[in-house]
Amino acid sequence: MAVKQQNVTDEYAIYNGDSCEVLPTLPSSSIHLSVYSPPFAGLYHYSSSERDLSNCSSYEEFFKHYDFIVEELFRLTKPGRITVVHCMDVPRSNTGRDSYIDFPGDIIRQHERIGWDLASPRICIWKEPLMVRNRTMTKALAHKTIVDDSTSCTVAGADYLLVFRKPGVNEVPVEHPVGLTRYAGEREMPKELLAYKGWKGKQTENRFSHWIWRQYASCVWDDIRGNTGNRRVPGVLPYREARTEEDEKHLHPLQLDVIERAVTLWSNPGENVLTPFMGVGSEVYRAVMSGRRGIGVELKESYYRQAVKNIEYGLAHRDDDNEQLGMFDAMEAEDATEELTEATC
């Protein structure tokens, strides 16, 4: 298969191909951070390709395939640096009496077996329950279920970020000499803190950065745009044109706030940020907009084409501090509302 298409610039390099073939061509110890959402084993089908992890015949086969990706990421990552995996508990069915697979736990055990260290407790990403119910039509989230038999009800499953570190000494610290200077989230910062942005005095006095860090250091991120039910703020990249008839109606790019926090906390400007499952380009887009070099690989051609559009849009509007909102300016109000309803999760 090799690479079908590619776009390589000074700011990003993206490839339409199979990560199992593309990653081995990249030099060892060349990646500072990887952040991605793998196919959720057995839950969705992203394409009909036998190369797609989502089409493995069993949960065990999925991890044999996924092992290769994780091992390559271990080779590519610099010592002491980070890989971030976005995942969730996977339901076995939608029968109204669901049981769940501890997919995050299996990913943790897999990474530790390969050599990664778990670098943080799981970060829980909250999702608004009614949005999840309307998107997934999960019977166990329906109000009717608690009316009929609440032993069959459940909660809206969170997403999780799993943070792993490659053993070794990190030779280049990720520094924030004037603290954190940008908040990626929906919560409103107290206006009196704005005067401390970029504070050059003692960082113990930097109330702007301290406030942001309190949000990021929480084990529950409940302020991610696109997850809270606020339709004014989409929180994700446009993706509708990337869909094909074979897709299930599940595609929802990883929220930009989540990616921005990971990129800010675990990489420096100018460093290489990789995603082996690029989708419509969210991780590369956010890395580039944060002054990093984004590298992405995507198997599906329609997703790759949308990623090219999204990244190029970002570069053309990089001076707009709210560039992710600007993407929707050209949409009619009805279309934007429909898009947000489907995109949030």
Side-chain angles (χ1 to χ4, degrees), residues 217-241:
S218 172
C219 65
V220 178
W221 288 357
D222 61 355
D223 57 341
I224 299 300
R225 287 172 287 189
N227 277 9
T228 62
N230 182 352
R231 294 184 176 184
R232 187 185 66 81
V233 183
V236 297
L237 291 184
Y239 64 90
R240 175 171 292 172
E241 293 181 20

PDB file of all heavy atoms in Angstrom, residues 217-241:
ATOM      1  N   ALA A 217      -5.243  20.580  36.094  1.00  0.00           N
ATOM      2  CA  ALA A 217      -4.759  19.602  37.074  1.00  0.00           C
ATOM      3  C   ALA A 217      -5.892  18.790  37.696  1.00  0.00           C
ATOM      4  O   ALA A 217      -5.638  17.837  38.435  1.00  0.00           O
ATOM      5  CB  ALA A 217      -3.969  20.315  38.182  1.00  0.00           C
ATOM      6  N   SER A 218      -7.119  19.132  37.398  1.00  0.00           N
ATOM      7  CA  SER A 218      -8.254  18.361  37.895  1.00  0.00           C
ATOM      8  C   SER A 218      -8.283  16.997  37.227  1.00  0.00           C
ATOM      9  O   SER A 218      -7.971  16.865  36.036  1.00  0.00           O
ATOM     10  CB  SER A 218      -9.564  19.103  37.608  1.00  0.00           C
ATOM     11  OG  SER A 218     -10.678  18.289  37.918  1.00  0.00           O
ATOM     12  N   CYS A 219      -8.686  15.970  37.984  1.00  0.00           N
ATOM     13  CA  CYS A 219      -8.784  14.628  37.392  1.00  0.00           C
ATOM     14  C   CYS A 219     -10.029  14.494  36.523  1.00  0.00           C
ATOM     15  O   CYS A 219     -10.156  13.512  35.778  1.00  0.00           O
ATOM     16  CB  CYS A 219      -8.776  13.557  38.482  1.00  0.00           C
ATOM     17  SG  CYS A 219     -10.213  13.600  39.567  1.00  0.00           S
ATOM     18  N   VAL A 220     -10.940  15.468  36.596  1.00  0.00           N
ATOM     19  CA  VAL A 220     -12.143  15.479  35.754  1.00  0.00           C
ATOM     20  C   VAL A 220     -12.165  16.777  34.960  1.00  0.00           C
ATOM     21  O   VAL A 220     -12.204  17.865  35.540  1.00  0.00           O
ATOM     22  CB  VAL A 220     -13.433  15.349  36.593  1.00  0.00           C
ATOM     23  CG1 VAL A 220     -14.658  15.417  35.678  1.00  0.00           C
ATOM     24  CG2 VAL A 220     -13.439  14.059  37.390  1.00  0.00           C
ATOM     25  N   TRP A 221     -12.130  16.670  33.639  1.00  0.00           N
ATOM     26  CA  TRP A 221     -12.231  17.839  32.769  1.00  0.00           C
ATOM     27  C   TRP A 221     -13.697  17.969  32.357  1.00  0.00           C
ATOM     28  O   TRP A 221     -14.171  17.252  31.461  1.00  0.00           O
ATOM     29  CB  TRP A 221     -11.333  17.676  31.550  1.00  0.00           C
ATOM     30  CG  TRP A 221      -9.870  17.790  31.869  1.00  0.00           C
ATOM     31  CD1 TRP A 221      -9.316  18.079  33.086  1.00  0.00           C
ATOM     32  CD2 TRP A 221      -8.768  17.616  30.964  1.00  0.00           C
ATOM     33  NE1 TRP A 221      -7.940  18.099  32.996  1.00  0.00           N
ATOM     34  CE2 TRP A 221      -7.577  17.814  31.711  1.00  0.00           C
ATOM     35  CE3 TRP A 221      -8.673  17.303  29.609  1.00  0.00           C
ATOM     36  CZ2 TRP A 221      -6.309  17.706  31.123  1.00  0.00           C
ATOM     37  CZ3 TRP A 221      -7.419  17.207  29.025  1.00  0.00           C
ATOM     38  CH2 TRP A 221      -6.248  17.414  29.785  1.00  0.00           C
ATOM     39  N   ASP A 222     -14.416  18.876  33.007  1.00  0.00           N
ATOM     40  CA  ASP A 222     -15.836  19.056  32.738  1.00  0.00           C
ATOM     41  C   ASP A 222     -16.119  20.363  32.001  1.00  0.00           C
ATOM     42  O   ASP A 222     -17.262  20.827  31.965  1.00  0.00           O
ATOM     43  CB  ASP A 222     -16.643  19.005  34.037  1.00  0.00           C
ATOM     44  CG  ASP A 222     -16.253  20.093  35.031  1.00  0.00           C
ATOM     45  OD1 ASP A 222     -15.289  20.845  34.758  1.00  0.00           O
ATOM     46  OD2 ASP A 222     -16.905  20.193  36.089  1.00  0.00           O
ATOM     47  N   ASP A 223     -15.084  20.940  31.405  1.00  0.00           N
ATOM     48  CA  ASP A 223     -15.207  22.238  30.739  1.00  0.00           C
ATOM     49  C   ASP A 223     -14.735  22.178  29.295  1.00  0.00           C
ATOM     50  O   ASP A 223     -14.317  23.183  28.725  1.00  0.00           O
ATOM     51  CB  ASP A 223     -14.408  23.302  31.504  1.00  0.00           C
ATOM     52  CG  ASP A 223     -12.937  22.929  31.654  1.00  0.00           C
ATOM     53  OD1 ASP A 223     -12.591  21.739  31.509  1.00  0.00           O
ATOM     54  OD2 ASP A 223     -12.123  23.833  31.939  1.00  0.00           O
ATOM     55  N   ILE A 224     -14.797  20.986  28.685  1.00  0.00           N
ATOM     56  CA  ILE A 224     -14.329  20.815  27.316  1.00  0.00           C
ATOM     57  C   ILE A 224     -15.416  21.242  26.334  1.00  0.00           C
ATOM     58  O   ILE A 224     -16.527  20.716  26.359  1.00  0.00           O
ATOM     59  CB  ILE A 224     -13.938  19.341  27.056  1.00  0.00           C
ATOM     60  CG1 ILE A 224     -12.792  18.934  27.990  1.00  0.00           C
ATOM     61  CG2 ILE A 224     -13.558  19.132  25.599  1.00  0.00           C
ATOM     62  CD1 ILE A 224     -11.524  19.747  27.830  1.00  0.00           C
ATOM     63  N   ARG A 225     -15.104  22.202  25.482  1.00  0.00           N
ATOM     64  CA  ARG A 225     -16.082  22.664  24.499  1.00  0.00           C
ATOM     65  C   ARG A 225     -16.420  21.537  23.522  1.00  0.00           C
ATOM     66  O   ARG A 225     -15.544  20.826  23.042  1.00  0.00           O
ATOM     67  CB  ARG A 225     -15.526  23.876  23.745  1.00  0.00           C
ATOM     68  CG  ARG A 225     -15.516  25.135  24.591  1.00  0.00           C
ATOM     69  CD  ARG A 225     -14.792  26.280  23.920  1.00  0.00           C
ATOM     70  NE  ARG A 225     -13.343  26.076  23.922  1.00  0.00           N
ATOM     71  CZ  ARG A 225     -12.457  27.008  23.556  1.00  0.00           C
ATOM     72  NH1 ARG A 225     -12.888  28.201  23.155  1.00  0.00           N
ATOM     73  NH2 ARG A 225     -11.169  26.748  23.592  1.00  0.00           N
ATOM     74  N   GLY A 226     -17.711  21.398  23.262  1.00  0.00           N
ATOM     75  CA  GLY A 226     -18.185  20.292  22.439  1.00  0.00           C
ATOM     76  C   GLY A 226     -18.751  19.165  23.271  1.00  0.00           C
ATOM     77  O   GLY A 226     -19.405  18.273  22.745  1.00  0.00           O
ATOM     78  N   ASN A 227     -18.543  19.191  24.590  1.00  0.00           N
ATOM     79  CA  ASN A 227     -19.026  18.132  25.479  1.00  0.00           C
ATOM     80  C   ASN A 227     -20.096  18.615  26.445  1.00  0.00           C
ATOM     81  O   ASN A 227     -20.694  17.804  27.134  1.00  0.00           O
ATOM     82  CB  ASN A 227     -17.876  17.567  26.322  1.00  0.00           C
ATOM     83  CG  ASN A 227     -17.079  16.523  25.585  1.00  0.00           C
ATOM     84  OD1 ASN A 227     -17.269  16.332  24.402  1.00  0.00           O
ATOM     85  ND2 ASN A 227     -16.196  15.849  26.283  1.00  0.00           N
ATOM     86  N   THR A 228     -20.316  19.928  26.518  1.00  0.00           N
ATOM     87  CA  THR A 228     -21.132  20.471  27.602  1.00  0.00           C
ATOM     88  C   THR A 228     -22.551  20.818  27.194  1.00  0.00           C
ATOM     89  O   THR A 228     -23.336  21.248  28.028  1.00  0.00           O
ATOM     90  CB  THR A 228     -20.459  21.729  28.180  1.00  0.00           C
ATOM     91  OG1 THR A 228     -20.379  22.721  27.149  1.00  0.00           O
ATOM     92  CG2 THR A 228     -19.064  21.424  28.692  1.00  0.00           C
ATOM     93  N   GLY A 229     -22.889  20.649  25.918  1.00  0.00           N
ATOM     94  CA  GLY A 229     -24.237  20.978  25.463  1.00  0.00           C
ATOM     95  C   GLY A 229     -24.390  22.389  24.947  1.00  0.00           C
ATOM     96  O   GLY A 229     -25.474  22.784  24.530  1.00  0.00           O
ATOM     97  N   ASN A 230     -23.299  23.175  24.965  1.00  0.00           N
ATOM     98  CA  ASN A 230     -23.343  24.540  24.449  1.00  0.00           C
ATOM     99  C   ASN A 230     -23.180  24.502  22.931  1.00  0.00           C
ATOM    100  O   ASN A 230     -22.086  24.298  22.417  1.00  0.00           O
ATOM    101  CB  ASN A 230     -22.224  25.374  25.074  1.00  0.00           C
ATOM    102  CG  ASN A 230     -22.243  26.822  24.615  1.00  0.00           C
ATOM    103  OD1 ASN A 230     -23.000  27.203  23.717  1.00  0.00           O
ATOM    104  ND2 ASN A 230     -21.411  27.636  25.219  1.00  0.00           N
ATOM    105  N   ARG A 231     -24.263  24.690  22.201  1.00  0.00           N
ATOM    106  CA  ARG A 231     -24.218  24.564  20.747  1.00  0.00           C
ATOM    107  C   ARG A 231     -23.534  25.743  20.061  1.00  0.00           C
ATOM    108  O   ARG A 231     -23.209  25.677  18.877  1.00  0.00           O
ATOM    109  CB  ARG A 231     -25.640  24.395  20.191  1.00  0.00           C
ATOM    110  CG  ARG A 231     -26.282  23.081  20.617  1.00  0.00           C
ATOM    111  CD  ARG A 231     -27.640  22.913  19.968  1.00  0.00           C
ATOM    112  NE  ARG A 231     -28.215  21.625  20.309  1.00  0.00           N
ATOM    113  CZ  ARG A 231     -29.364  21.185  19.811  1.00  0.00           C
ATOM    114  NH1 ARG A 231     -30.043  21.943  18.968  1.00  0.00           N
ATOM    115  NH2 ARG A 231     -29.837  20.006  20.162  1.00  0.00           N
ATOM    116  N   ARG A 232     -23.314  26.809  20.783  1.00  0.00           N
ATOM    117  CA  ARG A 232     -22.646  27.964  20.187  1.00  0.00           C
ATOM    118  C   ARG A 232     -21.188  27.665  19.876  1.00  0.00           C
ATOM    119  O   ARG A 232     -20.607  28.219  18.958  1.00  0.00           O
ATOM    120  CB  ARG A 232     -22.726  29.168  21.135  1.00  0.00           C
ATOM    121  CG  ARG A 232     -22.194  30.469  20.539  1.00  0.00           C
ATOM    122  CD  ARG A 232     -22.186  31.573  21.571  1.00  0.00           C
ATOM    123  NE  ARG A 232     -21.248  31.302  22.639  1.00  0.00           N
ATOM    124  CZ  ARG A 232     -19.929  31.531  22.561  1.00  0.00           C
ATOM    125  NH1 ARG A 232     -19.413  32.011  21.447  1.00  0.00           N
ATOM    126  NH2 ARG A 232     -19.135  31.276  23.574  1.00  0.00           N
ATOM    127  N   VAL A 233     -20.609  26.778  20.652  1.00  0.00           N
ATOM    128  CA  VAL A 233     -19.193  26.468  20.499  1.00  0.00           C
ATOM    129  C   VAL A 233     -19.045  25.013  20.063  1.00  0.00           C
ATOM    130  O   VAL A 233     -19.302  24.103  20.833  1.00  0.00           O
ATOM    131  CB  VAL A 233     -18.426  26.685  21.823  1.00  0.00           C
ATOM    132  CG1 VAL A 233     -16.946  26.437  21.626  1.00  0.00           C
ATOM    133  CG2 VAL A 233     -18.674  28.096  22.337  1.00  0.00           C
ATOM    134  N   PRO A 234     -18.633  24.754  18.812  1.00  0.00           N
ATOM    135  CA  PRO A 234     -18.569  23.379  18.327  1.00  0.00           C
ATOM    136  C   PRO A 234     -17.519  22.521  19.015  1.00  0.00           C
ATOM    137  O   PRO A 234     -17.777  21.382  19.369  1.00  0.00           O
ATOM    138  CB  PRO A 234     -18.262  23.549  16.841  1.00  0.00           C
ATOM    139  CG  PRO A 234     -17.641  24.901  16.724  1.00  0.00           C
ATOM    140  CD  PRO A 234     -18.280  25.746  17.789  1.00  0.00           C
ATOM    141  N   GLY A 235     -16.323  23.048  19.173  1.00  0.00           N
ATOM    142  CA  GLY A 235     -15.292  22.303  19.884  1.00  0.00           C
ATOM    143  C   GLY A 235     -14.542  21.269  19.075  1.00  0.00           C
ATOM    144  O   GLY A 235     -13.551  20.718  19.531  1.00  0.00           O
ATOM    145  N   VAL A 236     -15.016  20.974  17.837  1.00  0.00           N
ATOM    146  CA  VAL A 236     -14.351  19.976  17.001  1.00  0.00           C
ATOM    147  C   VAL A 236     -14.203  20.528  15.590  1.00  0.00           C
ATOM    148  O   VAL A 236     -14.858  21.493  15.205  1.00  0.00           O
ATOM    149  CB  VAL A 236     -15.139  18.650  16.957  1.00  0.00           C
ATOM    150  CG1 VAL A 236     -15.215  18.020  18.339  1.00  0.00           C
ATOM    151  CG2 VAL A 236     -16.538  18.853  16.388  1.00  0.00           C
ATOM    152  N   LEU A 237     -13.358  19.869  14.787  1.00  0.00           N
ATOM    153  CA  LEU A 237     -13.180  20.292  13.404  1.00  0.00           C
ATOM    154  C   LEU A 237     -14.334  19.808  12.529  1.00  0.00           C
ATOM    155  O   LEU A 237     -14.955  18.787  12.820  1.00  0.00           O
ATOM    156  CB  LEU A 237     -11.870  19.714  12.848  1.00  0.00           C
ATOM    157  CG  LEU A 237     -10.569  20.267  13.415  1.00  0.00           C
ATOM    158  CD1 LEU A 237      -9.387  19.648  12.683  1.00  0.00           C
ATOM    159  CD2 LEU A 237     -10.510  21.779  13.314  1.00  0.00           C
ATOM    160  N   PRO A 238     -14.619  20.528  11.437  1.00  0.00           N
ATOM    161  CA  PRO A 238     -15.620  20.053  10.481  1.00  0.00           C
ATOM    162  C   PRO A 238     -15.235  18.683   9.931  1.00  0.00           C
ATOM    163  O   PRO A 238     -14.071  18.424   9.650  1.00  0.00           O
ATOM    164  CB  PRO A 238     -15.577  21.115   9.372  1.00  0.00           C
ATOM    165  CG  PRO A 238     -15.076  22.342  10.052  1.00  0.00           C
ATOM    166  CD  PRO A 238     -14.091  21.850  11.074  1.00  0.00           C
ATOM    167  N   TYR A 239     -16.232  17.812   9.764  1.00  0.00           N
ATOM    168  CA  TYR A 239     -15.947  16.446   9.340  1.00  0.00           C
ATOM    169  C   TYR A 239     -16.995  15.867   8.407  1.00  0.00           C
ATOM    170  O   TYR A 239     -16.806  14.782   7.863  1.00  0.00           O
ATOM    171  CB  TYR A 239     -15.846  15.530  10.561  1.00  0.00           C
ATOM    172  CG  TYR A 239     -17.158  15.426  11.304  1.00  0.00           C
ATOM    173  CD1 TYR A 239     -18.078  14.444  10.988  1.00  0.00           C
ATOM    174  CD2 TYR A 239     -17.470  16.336  12.299  1.00  0.00           C
ATOM    175  CE1 TYR A 239     -19.287  14.369  11.653  1.00  0.00           C
ATOM    176  CE2 TYR A 239     -18.666  16.266  12.974  1.00  0.00           C
ATOM    177  CZ  TYR A 239     -19.575  15.284  12.651  1.00  0.00           C
ATOM    178  OH  TYR A 239     -20.769  15.224  13.309  1.00  0.00           O
ATOM    179  N   ARG A 240     -18.108  16.569   8.202  1.00  0.00           N
ATOM    180  CA  ARG A 240     -19.229  15.968   7.482  1.00  0.00           C
ATOM    181  C   ARG A 240     -18.826  15.492   6.089  1.00  0.00           C
ATOM    182  O   ARG A 240     -19.235  14.416   5.648  1.00  0.00           O
ATOM    183  CB  ARG A 240     -20.374  16.969   7.387  1.00  0.00           C
ATOM    184  CG  ARG A 240     -21.532  16.447   6.537  1.00  0.00           C
ATOM    185  CD  ARG A 240     -22.726  17.369   6.642  1.00  0.00           C
ATOM    186  NE  ARG A 240     -23.281  17.318   7.973  1.00  0.00           N
ATOM    187  CZ  ARG A 240     -24.239  18.140   8.406  1.00  0.00           C
ATOM    188  NH1 ARG A 240     -24.716  19.056   7.613  1.00  0.00           N
ATOM    189  NH2 ARG A 240     -24.708  18.037   9.621  1.00  0.00           N
ATOM    190  N   GLU A 241     -18.043  16.269   5.353  1.00  0.00           N
ATOM    191  CA  GLU A 241     -17.683  15.898   3.988  1.00  0.00           C
ATOM    192  C   GLU A 241     -16.830  14.640   3.942  1.00  0.00           C
ATOM    193  O   GLU A 241     -16.708  14.005   2.902  1.00  0.00           O
ATOM    194  CB  GLU A 241     -16.942  17.053   3.315  1.00  0.00           C
ATOM    195  CG  GLU A 241     -17.807  18.284   3.070  1.00  0.00           C
ATOM    196  CD  GLU A 241     -17.039  19.379   2.373  1.00  0.00           C
ATOM    197  OE1 GLU A 241     -16.008  19.073   1.759  1.00  0.00           O
ATOM    198  OE2 GLU A 241     -17.465  20.545   2.447  1.00  0.00           O
TER     199      GLU A 241
END
